[in-house]
Amino acid sequence: MRRAAVCGALEVNELQSLEAMVRRARLAAGQVLFEEGGPADEVFTLTEGVLRLYKLLRDGRRQITGFLIPGDYLGLAFAGTYAYGAEAVTDVALCRFPRRAFLRLLDEVPALERELLSRAGNELALAQEQMLLLGRKTARERLASFLVGFAERRGVEAGRPVALPMSRADLGDYLGLTMETVSRAFTNLCDAGLIALPDKRHYVVRHHERLLEAAGA
Amino acid sequence: MRRAAVCGALEVNELQSLEAMVRRARLAAGQVLFEEGGPADEVFTLTEGVLRLYKLLRDGRRQITGFLIPGDYLGLAFAGTYAYGAEAVTDVALCRFPRRAFLRLLDEVPALERELLSRAGNELALAQEQMLLLGRKTARERLASFLVGFAERRGVEAGRPVALPMSRADLGDYLGLTMETVSRAFTNLCDAGLIALPDKRHYVVRHHERLLEAAGA
DNA sequence: CGTGGCGTTGAGGTCTTTCAACGAGAGTGG
DNA sequence: CCACTCTCGTTGAAAGACCTCAACGCCACG
């Protein structure tokens, strides 16, 4: 895992300049960090909680493009405005960096740039996986894919309950479905014995193999 | 437009090492450049023609994640294998770089790294736009979005015919639809007067405003 | 104990897919 | 030069997956 590498690089090489420019912030669940199209003058690192990134259509339809967990960074837009909005799913804590200072740091620390490039590559691969999901998978496959991937990303070991911080509606907007269809897919996977639902905000992977198979790839 | 910047950087700063490592290649329409999961030991720049990048499910369902046009690069996987397959849509010409030499060059030319990071950011923004399309737009909106964006990307001025090198099936796999639905959406937009279809492989944007509106955002 | 948000379930509707037929055009071979 | 064939695209009819609308239960909160 390379999740800590940015912070690592900062702390080792540039502690003094980091100290000068880092600020910490907290947001309550549901609050907006920034909006799509807003001026992109800060870069963030998430340290606690979960964020959702999303894009909107004029009539209100929403696509969540990703959920961020501690260790993820966001906001590095090379255009002057954010390409997406960001909101707190749970209470969150994060580090904020002024964008200009961050770019200056980028000039001074080549390793940081390489790290960001590597991360961007990972994100791109994830985005392509998500396109496959949205364009070609069934509701059941979409949910199964998400549940497998999320458990893994959270580092939850097999058989352990995984916390689901987001609502069914959020999940729907992430998977390109409605809340109701997500709910039915949960029921379906549960009835099939692939997962268990101790309560509405937790799930357990009961058959990793079969769930992976239900995910379609 | 920064499309030429990589080549620019190479030619100005590293001409001799470039000469040593660049190789040119051609592929006929339909041929495979590399397959998903194959060893990622080369990086490419497309100089002529159009490529499609895609991911597959086991049962053959395909999602095209992007069409590449001259000036685009591909293949910079930080993992050891390609995350997607690449095939020629038309006859293509490209430059190939051995991956290791390319990474060495990356160490020597900091500007190149910044350029790649900037491009990765653009690609990520495009990918998120595509997620919105796949997850939340109707068939008509998807096609309208594509037609507007493709004309722009090709730099075709308003009212001029745009060449469509890919088949309806390719378009379907890109937009998360079937060939038939794509065809119906074409007919629909044509009947509505938003576009014209001089022949099956060209279209004309007749009302940029209204087409943009039909694209949903 | 009411109220409101969230999730589940059912019934009916809709958009897209599936299946099928048909037409146009390119390339092939008689 | 003219069938012949194959691919690609279009169109229609029927089927299906998901959506919409609605009712209901649960739980936290005031």
Short mmCIF file of all heavy atoms in Angstrom, two decimals, chain B residues 13 16 21-22 27 33 37 41 43 60 78 96 100 115 118 123 138-139 143 169 181 183 208 210:
data_model
loop_
_atom_site.label_atom_id
_atom_site.label_comp_id
_atom_site.label_asym_id
_atom_site.label_seq_id
_atom_site.Cartn_x
_atom_site.Cartn_y
_atom_site.Cartn_z
N ASN B 13 14.83 18.39 -25.97
CA ASN B 13 15.79 18.10 -24.90
C ASN B 13 16.54 16.78 -25.04
O ASN B 13 17.62 16.63 -24.51
CB ASN B 13 15.06 18.07 -23.55
CG ASN B 13 14.38 19.39 -23.27
OD1 ASN B 13 14.93 20.43 -23.60
ND2 ASN B 13 13.20 19.33 -22.69
N GLN B 16 18.79 12.85 -29.01
CA GLN B 16 19.65 11.69 -29.26
C GLN B 16 19.13 10.43 -28.58
O GLN B 16 19.06 9.35 -29.18
CB GLN B 16 21.11 11.98 -28.85
CG GLN B 16 21.37 12.17 -27.38
CD GLN B 16 20.84 13.51 -26.85
OE1 GLN B 16 20.09 14.21 -27.53
NE2 GLN B 16 21.20 13.85 -25.63
N MET B 21 15.68 5.15 -29.10
CA MET B 21 14.69 4.22 -28.56
C MET B 21 13.34 4.22 -29.28
O MET B 21 12.55 3.32 -29.12
CB MET B 21 14.47 4.49 -27.07
CG MET B 21 13.79 5.80 -26.77
SD MET B 21 13.86 6.10 -25.00
CE MET B 21 12.37 7.04 -24.76
N VAL B 22 13.07 5.24 -30.09
CA VAL B 22 11.78 5.27 -30.74
C VAL B 22 11.73 4.26 -31.89
O VAL B 22 12.73 4.02 -32.58
CB VAL B 22 11.46 6.68 -31.28
CG1 VAL B 22 12.36 7.02 -32.45
CG2 VAL B 22 10.01 6.79 -31.67
N LEU B 27 -0.57 -0.44 -37.94
CA LEU B 27 -1.52 -1.54 -37.77
C LEU B 27 -2.68 -1.32 -38.74
O LEU B 27 -3.10 -0.18 -38.94
CB LEU B 27 -2.10 -1.57 -36.36
CG LEU B 27 -1.40 -2.43 -35.31
CD1 LEU B 27 -0.11 -1.80 -34.88
CD2 LEU B 27 -2.33 -2.64 -34.12
N LEU B 33 -3.46 -4.09 -30.80
CA LEU B 33 -2.16 -3.53 -30.41
C LEU B 33 -1.65 -4.27 -29.19
O LEU B 33 -0.51 -4.72 -29.15
CB LEU B 33 -2.30 -2.04 -30.12
CG LEU B 33 -1.03 -1.32 -29.68
CD1 LEU B 33 0.07 -1.44 -30.72
CD2 LEU B 33 -1.33 0.15 -29.38
N GLY B 37 -4.40 -7.22 -19.64
CA GLY B 37 -3.70 -8.22 -18.85
C GLY B 37 -2.36 -8.63 -19.43
O GLY B 37 -1.58 -9.32 -18.78
N ASP B 41 5.03 -3.61 -21.48
CA ASP B 41 6.43 -3.25 -21.61
C ASP B 41 6.70 -2.22 -22.71
O ASP B 41 7.83 -1.99 -23.08
CB ASP B 41 7.29 -4.50 -21.83
CG ASP B 41 6.57 -5.54 -22.65
OD1 ASP B 41 5.89 -5.15 -23.62
OD2 ASP B 41 6.65 -6.71 -22.31
N VAL B 43 5.29 1.80 -24.31
CA VAL B 43 4.44 2.98 -24.26
C VAL B 43 4.29 3.48 -25.69
O VAL B 43 5.23 3.37 -26.48
CB VAL B 43 5.11 4.07 -23.38
CG1 VAL B 43 4.25 5.32 -23.32
CG2 VAL B 43 5.36 3.53 -21.98
N GLY B 60 -18.07 -11.98 -22.79
CA GLY B 60 -17.91 -11.29 -24.06
C GLY B 60 -18.45 -9.87 -24.09
O GLY B 60 -18.18 -9.13 -25.04
N PHE B 78 1.43 1.65 -14.47
CA PHE B 78 2.42 1.54 -13.42
C PHE B 78 2.43 0.14 -12.84
O PHE B 78 3.41 -0.29 -12.26
CB PHE B 78 2.19 2.60 -12.35
CG PHE B 78 2.70 3.92 -12.78
CD1 PHE B 78 1.88 4.81 -13.46
CD2 PHE B 78 4.02 4.26 -12.58
CE1 PHE B 78 2.37 6.02 -13.90
CE2 PHE B 78 4.52 5.47 -13.02
CZ PHE B 78 3.69 6.36 -13.68
N ARG B 96 6.47 3.62 -30.79
CA ARG B 96 6.57 2.71 -29.64
C ARG B 96 7.84 3.06 -28.87
O ARG B 96 8.89 3.27 -29.45
CB ARG B 96 6.70 1.26 -30.08
CG ARG B 96 5.98 0.89 -31.34
CD ARG B 96 6.39 -0.50 -31.83
NE ARG B 96 5.99 -1.51 -30.90
CZ ARG B 96 5.15 -2.51 -31.21
NH1 ARG B 96 4.66 -2.60 -32.43
NH2 ARG B 96 4.83 -3.38 -30.31
N ARG B 100 10.98 0.75 -20.12
CA ARG B 100 12.08 1.07 -19.20
C ARG B 100 12.80 2.33 -19.65
O ARG B 100 13.16 3.19 -18.85
CB ARG B 100 13.06 -0.09 -19.11
CG ARG B 100 12.36 -1.42 -18.80
CD ARG B 100 13.36 -2.47 -18.42
NE ARG B 100 14.08 -2.08 -17.22
CZ ARG B 100 14.64 -2.93 -16.39
NH1 ARG B 100 14.55 -4.23 -16.63
NH2 ARG B 100 15.28 -2.51 -15.32
N GLU B 115 3.95 17.19 -17.53
CA GLU B 115 3.04 17.09 -18.67
C GLU B 115 2.15 15.85 -18.56
O GLU B 115 0.94 15.92 -18.77
CB GLU B 115 3.87 17.04 -19.97
CG GLU B 115 3.07 16.71 -21.21
CD GLU B 115 2.01 17.74 -21.54
OE1 GLU B 115 2.14 18.90 -21.11
OE2 GLU B 115 1.04 17.38 -22.24
N SER B 118 -0.46 16.32 -15.92
CA SER B 118 -1.53 17.18 -16.41
C SER B 118 -2.48 16.42 -17.32
O SER B 118 -3.70 16.52 -17.23
CB SER B 118 -0.90 18.36 -17.16
OG SER B 118 -1.87 18.99 -17.96
N GLU B 123 -7.57 13.24 -18.44
CA GLU B 123 -8.19 11.95 -18.72
C GLU B 123 -9.15 11.55 -17.61
O GLU B 123 -10.22 11.00 -17.85
CB GLU B 123 -7.11 10.87 -18.86
CG GLU B 123 -6.54 10.77 -20.25
CD GLU B 123 -5.63 9.57 -20.36
OE1 GLU B 123 -6.13 8.43 -20.29
OE2 GLU B 123 -4.41 9.78 -20.48
N THR B 138 -29.88 9.26 -20.73
CA THR B 138 -30.69 8.44 -21.64
C THR B 138 -29.90 8.19 -22.92
O THR B 138 -28.87 8.82 -23.17
CB THR B 138 -31.98 9.17 -22.02
OG1 THR B 138 -31.64 10.33 -22.78
CG2 THR B 138 -32.77 9.59 -20.79
N ALA B 139 -30.41 7.28 -23.74
CA ALA B 139 -29.73 6.94 -24.98
C ALA B 139 -29.52 8.18 -25.85
O ALA B 139 -28.43 8.41 -26.37
CB ALA B 139 -30.54 5.89 -25.74
N LEU B 143 -25.80 9.80 -26.97
CA LEU B 143 -25.32 10.01 -28.32
C LEU B 143 -25.05 11.49 -28.57
O LEU B 143 -24.02 11.86 -29.14
CB LEU B 143 -26.31 9.47 -29.35
CG LEU B 143 -25.81 9.59 -30.80
CD1 LEU B 143 -24.50 8.85 -31.00
CD2 LEU B 143 -26.86 9.07 -31.78
N ALA B 169 -21.75 -0.50 -33.64
CA ALA B 169 -21.51 -1.44 -32.54
C ALA B 169 -20.44 -0.90 -31.59
O ALA B 169 -20.58 -0.98 -30.36
CB ALA B 169 -21.10 -2.81 -33.09
N THR B 181 -29.98 0.50 -30.52
CA THR B 181 -30.39 1.72 -29.81
C THR B 181 -29.61 2.93 -30.30
O THR B 181 -30.17 4.02 -30.42
CB THR B 181 -30.20 1.52 -28.29
OG1 THR B 181 -30.99 0.40 -27.88
CG2 THR B 181 -30.66 2.74 -27.52
N SER B 183 -28.48 3.28 -33.30
CA SER B 183 -29.05 3.58 -34.60
C SER B 183 -30.35 4.38 -34.45
O SER B 183 -30.58 5.37 -35.15
CB SER B 183 -29.32 2.28 -35.35
OG SER B 183 -29.86 2.54 -36.62
N HIS B 208 -25.76 23.43 -32.86
CA HIS B 208 -24.84 23.14 -31.76
C HIS B 208 -25.52 23.38 -30.42
O HIS B 208 -25.43 22.57 -29.49
CB HIS B 208 -23.58 23.99 -31.89
CG HIS B 208 -22.51 23.63 -30.93
ND1 HIS B 208 -22.42 24.18 -29.68
CD2 HIS B 208 -21.51 22.74 -31.02
CE1 HIS B 208 -21.39 23.65 -29.05
NE2 HIS B 208 -20.82 22.77 -29.83
N ARG B 210 -28.75 23.39 -29.57
CA ARG B 210 -29.79 22.43 -29.22
C ARG B 210 -29.22 21.03 -28.99
O ARG B 210 -29.74 20.26 -28.18
CB ARG B 210 -30.86 22.39 -30.32
CG ARG B 210 -31.68 23.69 -30.38
CD ARG B 210 -33.12 23.42 -30.81
NE ARG B 210 -33.23 23.10 -32.22
CZ ARG B 210 -34.14 22.28 -32.73
NH1 ARG B 210 -35.01 21.66 -31.94
NH2 ARG B 210 -34.20 22.05 -34.04
#
